[in-house]
């Protein structure tokens, strides 16, 4: 058996599909299929069964997954040990981050890390859903939580404050009338959904969004009120706060990774880079800066 074949098998086992594994490994769909067939032929047994929802491991596939995972951990340990002796930072680094942060405030930080470390192949993958670091769906996850998974290690980068925002025109109209506030139906994450559910007890919404960037766009059109993290709402000159931030809504921004990667130099370098970069932005994250329009008047 070749490690490349095992690596492809692990990707299929974790992603549940050949297309997902191909995307993950940045190879052709046909390459994944061909290498799997070669591996099954060399072992003389079937490793995967095709189902409507994707692929499921056979009993032999489960055994091979455990063995291949142990091999992968040994390779990672070796990389960590050798990495401490080698001044060159290189290799792939997969970072899972929340869409509204990855595409806005975190992107300059990702870009500066990449420019400083050109031999690291940095993959930024956006998802608001849980990713399994134990299953190597990512090397690092940047997540909003006050209860990080106990089996992971990492660092708390900062606190994210949130509050209710609306378009400037809509809020001006609302404050000059006796109308009840109109709320957006938010389905992007559990936090915003729960907060909105509590703030709008009759649950009457006429417009729904499932992404925070869509929330911003809808607020700009005057469609109502919605919760946003302050780093987004305060950076948009077309939006205003409807209320002050509530400390009970504060969330921790964590950079998390599996303990097996604690000595991997590219992981350590990325963690230190993000900690340093975040420091300069803490007032923005914590909601302690005036909104963008007010800051421009001060300048």
């Amino acid at each position: 058996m070749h490690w490349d074949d095992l690596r492809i098998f692990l990707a299929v086992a974790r992603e549940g599909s050949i297309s997902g594994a191909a995307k993950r490994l940045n190879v052709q769909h046909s390459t994944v299929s061909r290498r799997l067939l070669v591996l099954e032929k060399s072992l003389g047994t079937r490793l995967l069964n095709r189902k409507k929802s994707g692929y499921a491991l056979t009993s032999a596939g489960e055994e091979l997954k455990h063995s291949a995972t142990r091999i992968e951990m040994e390779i990672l340990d070796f990389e960590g040990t050798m990495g401490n002796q080698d001044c060159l930072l290189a290799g792939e680094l997969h970072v899972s981050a929340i869409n509204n942060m990855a595409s806005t405030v975190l992107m300059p930080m990702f870009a500066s890390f990449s420019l400083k470390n050109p031999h690291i192949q940095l993959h930024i993958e956006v998802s608001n859903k849980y990713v399994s670091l134990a299953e190597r769906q990512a090397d690092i996850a940047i997540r909003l939580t006050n209860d990080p998974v106990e089996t992971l290690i990492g660092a708390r980068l900062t606190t994210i404050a949130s509050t209710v925002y609306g378009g400037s025109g809509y809020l001006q109209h609302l404050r000059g009338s006796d109308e009840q506030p109109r709320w957006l139906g938010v389905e992007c994450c559990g936090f915003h959904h729960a907060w909105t559910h509590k703030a709008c007890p009759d649950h009457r919404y006429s417009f729904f969004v499932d992404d925070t960037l869509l929330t911003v766009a809808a607020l700009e059109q005057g469609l109502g009120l919605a919760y946003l993290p302050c780093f987004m709402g305060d950076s948009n000159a077309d939006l205003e706060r409807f209320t002050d931030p509530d400390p009970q809504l504060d969330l921790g921004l964590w950079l998390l990774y599996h303990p097996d990667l604690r000595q991997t130099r590219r992981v350590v370098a990325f963690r230190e880079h993000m900690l340093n970069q975040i420091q300069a932005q803490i007032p923005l994250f914590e909601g302690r800066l005036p909104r963008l329009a007010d800051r421009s008047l001060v300048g």
Side-chain angles (χ1 to χ4, degrees):
M1 288 184 291
H2 298 283
W3 167 240
D4 280 346
D5 292 342
L6 291 178
R7 188 168 64 95
I8 286 175
F9 165 74
L10 275 177
V12 176
R14 289 164 174 167
E15 296 293 335
S17 69
I18 289 178
S19 59
K23 181 179 178 181
R24 171 76 179 170
L25 299 173
N26 195 27
V27 298
Q28 296 293 322
H29 186 284
S30 58
T31 299
V32 176
S33 297
R34 177 169 52 82
R35 297 313 303 174
L36 278 177
L37 289 174
V38 169
L39 182 60
E40 288 183 329
K41 186 176 181 180
S42 67
L43 293 173
T45 186
R46 194 167 185 80
L47 300 172
L48 299 158
N49 285 325
R50 181 66 184 265
K51 295 189 173 182
K52 289 183 178 180
S53 58
Y55 284 89
L57 295 175
T58 64
S59 57
E62 290 285 359
E63 289 293 331
L64 182 59
K65 182 183 178 183
H66 291 311
S67 297
T69 300
R70 289 196 297 270
I71 294 170
E72 182 182 53
M73 290 301 104
E74 291 290 338
I75 292 173
L76 289 172
D77 286 342
F78 176 77
E79 284 183 348
T81 301
M82 295 306 296
N84 290 328
Q85 303 172 22
D86 188 350
C87 64
L88 180 65
L89 286 170
E92 291 190 352
L93 185 64
H94 291 260
V95 178
S96 174
I98 305 163
N99 186 25
N100 63 23
M101 303 192 78
S103 59
T104 57
V105 68
L106 295 184
M107 185 53 69
M109 304 178 194
F110 297 154
S112 60
F113 177 82
S114 185
L115 291 172
K116 287 194 300 185
N117 300 280
H119 297 288
I120 292 180
Q121 300 168 26
L122 182 61
H123 299 255
I124 303 299
E125 300 153 1
V126 296
S127 173
N128 293 331
K129 298 180 180 179
Y130 170 81
V131 293
S132 175
L133 299 181
E135 291 288 331
R136 296 301 307 280
Q137 292 177 342
D139 299 311
I140 293 172
I142 298 176
R143 284 291 178 263
L144 287 171
T145 180
N146 287 330
D147 300 296
V149 180
E150 293 181 358
T151 55
L152 303 177
I153 60 175
R156 184 184 174 111
L157 298 174
T158 187
T159 296
I160 303 297
S162 297
T163 192
V164 181
Y165 289 86
S168 299
Y170 174 69
L171 290 185
Q172 183 178 0
H173 167 77
L174 186 63
R175 289 164 180 153
S177 71
D178 295 327
E179 293 181 12
Q180 289 297 311
R182 216 171 40 239
W183 285 84
L184 298 181
V186 178
E187 301 170 334
C188 60
C189 67
F191 297 119
H192 289 182
H193 180 76
W195 299 343
T196 305
H197 215 59
K198 184 177 181 181
C200 182
D202 62 6
H203 308 152
R204 295 176 63 185
Y205 316 110
S206 60
F207 194 88
F208 292 81
V209 290
D210 67 352
D211 181 87
T212 314
L213 297 175
L214 286 176
T215 301
V216 171
L219 293 179
E220 290 173 342
Q221 296 299 315
L223 291 177
L225 302 177
Y227 283 94
L228 283 177
C230 291
F231 73 84
M232 295 186 73
D234 293 345
S235 298
N236 190 313
D238 294 325
L239 304 183
E240 293 182 19
R241 293 179 179 183
F242 182 64
T243 60
D244 291 328
D246 183 351
Q248 295 185 30
L249 306 183
D250 287 353
L251 296 169
L253 181 65
W254 286 82
L255 185 150
L256 301 168
Y257 50 94
H258 196 274
D260 291 328
L261 299 178
R262 63 160 58 92
Q263 293 183 340
T264 304
R265 289 190 67 237
R266 57 184 176 272
V267 171
V268 174
F270 185 81
R271 181 195 66 197
E272 296 305 311
H273 173 83
M274 293 302 295
L275 282 169
N276 290 333
Q277 292 284 306
I278 288 287
Q279 285 299 310
Q281 301 285 352
I282 283 181
L284 175 64
F285 288 118
E286 293 184 347
R288 295 190 282 109
L289 286 181
R291 70 187 188 94
L292 186 62
D294 296 336
R295 292 204 295 273
S296 64
L297 291 176
V298 173

